[in-house]
Amino acid sequence: MYSMKLLVSSILVAALIVSPITSANWEFDRGNVNRTGASSEIIIPPLMVSKDDTTGKDFELSLGGENEEVTNCAPVISDNVLVIGTHSGYIYGIHAKNFKRLWQDKTDSEEEVYRYSACIEDEKVYIGNRLGELSCRDLISGKVIWEEKFDGWITTSPLITDGDKLLFGTNEGYVYQVNKKNGKLFSNGKSEQLIGPVYGLACTGEDDNRVFVGCGGDVRKENSRNLYCLNTINLQKQKWNTPKDAGGAIHSNPVVYEDKLYLISSKLDGEETERKKYHNYLACFGIDDENDGHRYWISDPYENELWASPAVHNNMVVTRWSDSFIRVFDVDGGGDPESSLNMWVHGSPMISGDYAYFSDKDSNLIVINYMTGEQSQKLRLCSQKSNEKIYIDASGNSPIIANGYVYFVNTLGQLYKLEAAPKGKLTINKTEIETTTIDQFEYELIVENNRTKNEVSHTNLVCQLEWEIGGEKYDSRLLEIPPEGKEVVKIKGTGGQFEKCGSYEIPINFKINNAHEFEVIWGDKTSEKWVKPDEFEKDENLINDPLYERNLSLNLVDPTPCLETVETIDLGDIWDDEISQTVFGVNVKNPCHGKLEFEVFKDGQITLIGETEYTVEAEEEMDLRFGLSKEKIADSGELEFQIILKPKIIDEKTITVKMNIKPSKSEVVVQIGSTKAMVNGKESTLDAAPYITKGTTMVPLRFVSEGLGFEQPEWVAELRTIIINLGGGRYLRLRIDNQIAFIEEPDGSLTQKELAVAPEIKNGRTFVPLRFIGETIGAQVDWNGETKEVTLTRILKP
């Protein structure tokens, strides 16, 4: 059974080697011998160089110290130990957490030694070199456990299959299989000589006893069969009857993805000349039971010789080409790629999620969203001395991903550790405020770390805000915000910090300490974006300075007053003879800070005591005094007056005045022989005219009694008696055609009165002696002989 313990707790990638005499080799993801180039960890750009928590310095290490240490292979990692080999023969063990050298060893040779990455399993490091030496070392100490010498150069990274088998290839066209415990060659552990140097090894990771081998072969040959499938039980037996035509020489590792194999090949176009012209192809082969070795498709040719492996993820094949293009193919389609970018990159791609990582000859780390075809980041990773040129112009190493970090070593041997850089967002709830010279104002700024908890992010977003109000400077504390976290910064002030009314600007400086992308959203929902300038070429649509400056607007006006008063005034009962003698008041308050200026509009019955325009200072009050017009108020009811502000900055107030006007007296005027009469100054018409009999004026009883404010008289027909309620428990009893009247007192006693003329009924109306009735009910009776008018006046006011 194939052991999935390969490269335990490690993520391994060997760098692309683009020298004409070396090969592209890489391994990935804890023994993923499929070499798909896809990490199980999702690291979303932008990236930044990690910093040491204790020193604050970037995690950058020059392997050779002051001397350049040319490196053309990527590091591998296990148990937080990075293993890197160099051209000059050094092999290093570097602690991945603090970048301290745990160990180093040197091979005594003047030739280029290490060009291919190591392989790690169970704290054992396996690595081969161009001297034909294959060694096993202790991961922690670097001590050599065993070392064996083979003919030719070892031109691949070791590949561990099932059991104790360790495979590698040489430039002489052989595949070797040795015991990983001691380095000794198994019987039948050497293949037949293949066509050209062995530059690539891959297997399915399943117990199918197969290893796929890519060879250099003859780059001029039209039908170049350079893809082999060998039996790992006996390397001298091939699983396929014949090698397969991949379109040309294979200079890099094949990639196993599901039931297919993908690889890149190169073929020399025509005769070899000083300026060589190559055609490169991407080919897809079936490796399942039914289509084992069948070539499904091959791409169109692309120019220049290529030494790189593809990376496969999300059913997409990501490739880089020597004509400076990155091309992305569908795993099943072939033909024209899904997308392509013109970008001078090198090394085999490394995929994390939707992003592919490359390097270029200038040691830039380039990140591409291969699903959209957009460049996401370009990060310079080279601290060259004296602007020296990179060692090999056409070279670039592949990055690796492990434990939430990206590790990258450039061709000068400078090692970097990178991590997902914080991404932030600043939301300003409002950019313009209108307030008064004495009130408080407040802006709310929300700072968020846009990294989610699902994204690998080790560093909090660090930033700080500075602002100025009325010439005085303020700043927030240093904000450190974890992924998905946010902080609210409130910019507070008062209008009193400014000299006078007017429009002002509050400058804000936003210090972006470590974010590589920052979005700013203003109160009107407009959005601006800042991206660290080193990562992208100049873009007019981006903010260009990490010290982000903006101004908030503040408009100061005079304070707004307030108006507090009642809505209704009930004056109660008022005697009509006292209407113009009483002054009333309504309280008007201004509990706010502004000056309250107002004007009063009123009904005609209301008279103001004073002017119609008034002023109430801040936090003061006054009584608005008014009276009532006797000439214009006729009845009880409701009146209104309004308080309207100047200027009209708040709504006017309407005050309703309620009252009950009570007459102080009742007056009835009748004329002998006339049906015209006056009741309380208003003309009235009688049903029958008054007359004189036996020298006594007779008037209609009902008209007089009701006109003087009494209830309607009660008629008792069977007794032919009229009863008048005099109030206070007193009653007057009159009997038709009877000159005797009775007054009933509250205690029930009766007082007898004699009338000059008895009450009588005439034309259906009851007539009574006027003077008797008036004097009995307490009214004053006046006779005007000239006009023949009788006036009865009854006083109602106590």
Side-chain angles (χ1 to χ4, degrees):
M1 181 69 181
Y2 174 74
S3 173
M4 291 305 294
K5 293 174 61 180
L6 295 178
L7 313 182
V8 172
S9 70
S10 67
I11 296 180
L12 308 179
V13 178
L16 165 66
I17 306 302
V18 294
S19 166
I21 56 174
T22 56
S23 66
N25 298 279
W26 45 280
E27 295 185 8
F28 177 72
D29 196 11
R30 301 188 183 186
N32 179 1
V33 291
N34 302 344
R35 306 187 188 275
T36 58
S39 170
S40 60
E41 297 187 36
I42 307 300
I43 298 182
I44 299 177
L47 305 180
M48 68 177 186
V49 177
S50 298
K51 292 185 179 296
D52 191 323
D53 292 336
T54 57
T55 65
K57 295 182 178 180
D58 289 347
F59 272 116
E60 176 191 352
L61 175 66
S62 292
L63 297 179
E66 295 297 323
N67 301 317
E68 293 179 359
E69 190 70 280
V70 176
T71 307
N72 277 127
C73 54
V76 292
I77 185 171
S78 177
D79 296 328
N80 282 312
V81 179
L82 291 158
V83 178
I84 309 170
T86 69
H87 279 205
S88 61
Y90 276 97
I91 183 170
Y92 295 93
I94 309 294
H95 199 292
K97 286 189 174 181
N98 55 29
F99 269 30
K100 302 296 184 183
R101 290 184 178 85
L102 295 176
W103 51 268
Q104 67 184 50
D105 197 5
K106 175 72 165 64
T107 298
D108 187 15
S109 174
E110 298 298 325
E111 299 182 39
E112 294 180 4
V113 180
Y114 293 109
R115 300 295 298 268
Y116 318 101
S117 295
C119 175
I120 304 176
E121 182 192 42
D122 296 334
E123 296 189 355
K124 302 292 189 300
V125 178
Y126 304 94
I127 190 169
N129 59 36
R130 293 184 65 193
L131 307 178
E133 298 169 344
L134 180 69
S135 63
C136 172
R137 297 173 180 268
D138 181 80
L139 175 66
I140 307 303
S141 66
K143 180 181 178 181
V144 175
I145 298 173
W146 56 258
E147 184 175 74
E148 294 292 330
K149 182 76 166 63
F150 297 89
D151 295 333
W153 303 344
I154 297 177
T155 50
T156 69
S157 294
L159 179 68
I160 301 176
T161 61
D162 56 321
D164 295 331
K165 296 176 181 178
L166 183 70
L167 283 82
F168 60 92
T170 69
N171 69 323
E172 294 183 347
Y174 294 101
V175 176
Y176 290 88
Q177 188 168 251
V178 301
N179 191 320
K180 67 182 181 183
K181 293 182 179 180
N182 52 29
K184 301 301 182 183
L185 189 67
F186 285 108
S187 61
N188 298 321
K190 181 179 179 182
S191 72
E192 296 178 355
Q193 189 172 23
L194 309 179
I195 301 175
V198 176
Y199 288 133
L201 297 177
C203 64
T204 64
E206 300 173 356
D207 188 16
D208 63 356
N209 300 319
R210 292 184 299 175
V211 59
F212 304 102
V213 183
C215 296
D218 186 349
V219 296
R220 290 180 294 271
K221 191 173 182 181
E222 184 68 25
N223 185 13
S224 182
R225 294 183 173 273
N226 299 319
L227 178 62
Y228 297 83
C229 180
L230 303 183
N231 190 323
T232 58
I233 296 176
N234 181 351
L235 284 183
Q236 294 181 351
K237 292 185 178 181
Q238 298 188 19
K239 299 288 280 188
W240 295 336
N241 293 331
T242 60
K244 304 302 178 181
D245 178 17
I250 301 171
H251 295 148
S252 58
N253 283 308
V255 169
V256 175
Y257 182 77
E258 295 181 348
D259 57 356
K260 292 183 176 63
L261 186 75
Y262 301 87
L263 55 87
I264 294 176
S265 63
S266 297
K267 182 172 74 71
L268 186 63
D269 186 16
E271 295 297 324
E272 185 171 354
T273 61
E274 183 177 349
R275 183 176 178 82
K276 298 178 182 179
K277 185 176 181 180
Y278 289 86
H279 284 162
N280 298 306
Y281 302 88
L282 172 65
C284 171
F285 291 84
I287 57 173
D288 59 357
D289 292 339
E290 294 182 3
N291 300 287
D292 197 10
H294 170 68
R295 192 176 79 182
Y296 280 102
W297 52 264
I298 189 168
S299 72
D300 293 335
Y302 301 103
E303 294 184 359
N304 301 324
E305 187 181 20
L306 181 63
W307 301 63
S309 295
V312 188
H313 189 59
N314 288 334
N315 291 318
M316 308 294 281
V317 184
V318 182
T319 60
R320 76 93 179 164
W321 301 82
S322 293
D323 60 1
S324 78
F325 273 88
I326 297 170
R327 294 184 174 92
V328 182
F329 297 80
D330 180 89
V331 292
D332 295 320
D336 294 332
E338 293 291 319
S339 62
S340 61
L341 294 87
N342 188 353
M343 194 171 298
W344 199 268
V345 294
H346 296 274
S348 299
M350 166 61 61
I351 291 179
S352 174
D354 292 344
Y355 297 90
Y357 295 80
F358 299 84
S359 64
D360 65 10
K361 65 184 181 62
D362 295 321
S363 287
N364 292 309
L365 181 64
I366 299 173
V367 187
I368 306 297
N369 186 325
Y370 64 89
M371 301 298 288
T372 64
E374 297 176 348
Q375 177 178 324
S376 299
Q377 191 174 15
K378 183 177 182 180
L379 187 61
R380 179 70 168 164
L381 294 176
C382 181
S383 55
Q384 292 173 259
K385 311 175 192 70
S386 305
N387 293 319
E388 293 178 271
K389 199 172 184 181
I390 298 296
Y391 179 76
I392 301 175
D393 280 349
S395 295
N397 294 332
S398 298
I400 66 168
I401 295 175
N403 304 322
Y405 293 95
V406 176
Y407 296 92
F408 173 73
V409 59
N410 65 25
T411 54
L412 292 179
Q414 294 161 349
L415 176 66
Y416 295 86
K417 179 165 71 171
L418 303 101
E419 62 180 292
K423 295 191 296 185
K425 181 170 75 173
L426 171 65
T427 304
I428 303 173
N429 66 336
K430 50 192 171 185
T431 58
E432 297 182 2
I433 289 180
E434 181 171 291
T435 186
T436 73
T437 54
I438 55 177
D439 288 327
Q440 291 185 338
F441 62 86
E442 178 181 296
Y443 298 89
E444 187 175 88
L445 283 65
I446 303 172
V447 186
E448 300 175 74
N449 186 339
N450 278 1
R451 289 290 187 184
T452 67
K453 293 179 180 178
N454 293 329
E455 298 179 31
V456 178
S457 182
H458 303 280
T459 304
N460 293 338
L461 172 68
V462 181
C463 52
Q464 190 167 21
L465 282 160
E466 294 180 348
W467 62 92
E468 185 177 310
I469 300 178
E472 187 172 354
K473 293 184 177 181
Y474 302 86
D475 59 18
S476 66
R477 62 179 176 81
L478 194 67
L479 305 177
E480 294 194 33
I481 307 172
E484 295 185 8
K486 69 178 180 180
E487 292 275 357
V488 177
V489 177
K490 294 185 177 181
I491 297 178
K492 299 180 179 180
T494 63
Q497 293 176 266
F498 301 88
E499 294 183 358
K500 57 183 180 180
C501 295
S503 296
Y504 295 90
E505 290 184 341
I506 298 179
I508 295 178
N509 291 330
F510 188 70
K511 294 183 177 180
I512 304 173
N513 293 45
N514 65 347
H516 279 50
E517 289 183 8
F518 214 93
E519 182 181 13
V520 182
I521 300 177
W522 288 87
D524 57 4
K525 306 305 180 185
T526 58
S527 176
E528 299 174 333
K529 189 175 183 181
W530 173 85
V531 176
K532 191 172 182 181
D534 287 344
E535 300 169 14
F536 286 92
E537 296 181 359
K538 291 183 179 180
D539 188 335
E540 294 181 356
N541 298 319
L542 300 178
I543 306 167
N544 294 319
D545 193 341
L547 181 61
Y548 182 71
E549 299 179 358
R550 251 313 185 105
N551 291 324
L552 303 176
S553 298
L554 184 69
N555 185 29
L556 292 181
V557 298
D558 283 328
T560 302
C562 300
L563 172 60
E564 287 187 4
T565 187
V566 296
E567 294 184 355
T568 303
I569 302 173
D570 191 347
L571 303 180
D573 295 336
I574 301 176
W575 296 105
D576 59 0
D577 63 346
E578 296 178 358
I579 289 176
S580 60
Q581 300 174 10
T582 306
V583 175
F584 305 96
V586 57
N587 187 258
V588 178
K589 294 181 180 179
N590 177 14
C592 300
H593 300 296
K595 180 187 293 185
L596 178 65
E597 296 179 296
F598 64 92
E599 189 173 2
V600 176
F601 294 86
K602 59 186 179 53
D603 287 344
Q605 298 96 321
I606 296 175
T607 59
L608 293 175
I609 310 303
E611 303 295 331
T612 60
E613 296 183 2
Y614 301 87
T615 298
V616 183
E617 299 292 341
E619 300 182 353
E620 292 186 359
E621 60 184 277
M622 65 165 290
D623 285 329
L624 183 64
R625 294 162 61 81
F626 67 95
L628 303 176
S629 173
K630 179 179 180 180
E631 291 77 15
K632 296 181 179 180
I633 293 180
D635 299 311
S636 302
E638 296 181 353
L639 304 175
E640 292 183 349
F641 62 89
Q642 293 179 319
I643 298 176
I644 298 179
L645 299 189
K646 295 175 21 180
K648 190 178 177 181
I649 52 179
I650 58 177
D651 292 337
E652 68 270 9
K653 291 282 188 179
T654 299
I655 301 174
T656 301
V657 181
K658 295 181 178 181
M659 70 200 77
N660 180 32
I661 304 298
K662 295 179 65 177
S664 59
K665 63 181 180 180
S666 294
E667 185 179 77
V668 176
V669 180
V670 297
Q671 189 177 29
I672 302 301
S674 175
T675 58
K676 300 295 183 182
M678 299 293 290
V679 178
N680 296 325
K682 295 182 179 180
E683 187 176 297
S684 183
T685 301
L686 305 177
D687 292 335
Y691 60 90
I692 296 176
T693 182
K694 299 179 183 182
T696 299
T697 301
M698 302 295 285
V699 296
L701 172 62
R702 183 172 181 177
F703 173 78
V704 173
S705 63
E706 291 181 7
L708 293 176
F710 291 101
E711 296 178 357
Q712 180 179 341
E714 180 183 355
W715 167 249
V716 184
E718 62 269 21
L719 300 175
R720 291 174 59 82
T721 299
I722 303 159
I723 301 174
I724 301 172
N725 186 350
L726 301 177
R730 298 176 72 240
Y731 295 90
L732 172 62
R733 299 178 186 273
L734 300 171
R735 191 171 183 181
I736 301 301
D737 298 330
N738 191 328
Q739 288 183 256
I740 302 300
F742 294 93
I743 297 175
E744 182 182 347
E745 300 296 338
D747 58 2
S749 62
L750 296 175
T751 302
Q752 183 175 308
K753 296 283 185 180
E754 185 176 354
L755 304 175
V757 177
E760 60 185 8
I761 296 175
K762 189 175 183 179
N763 297 326
R765 297 287 182 266
T766 300
F767 285 82
V768 295
L770 176 61
R771 184 171 295 278
F772 172 78
I773 290 298
E775 292 176 351
T776 300
I777 63 178
Q780 178 182 335
V781 180
D782 295 309
W783 166 256
N784 187 329
E786 293 181 3
T787 60
K788 295 185 179 183
E789 290 180 342
V790 181
T791 302
L792 286 83
T793 305
R794 180 183 176 225
I795 304 302
L796 301 177
K797 182 178 177 181

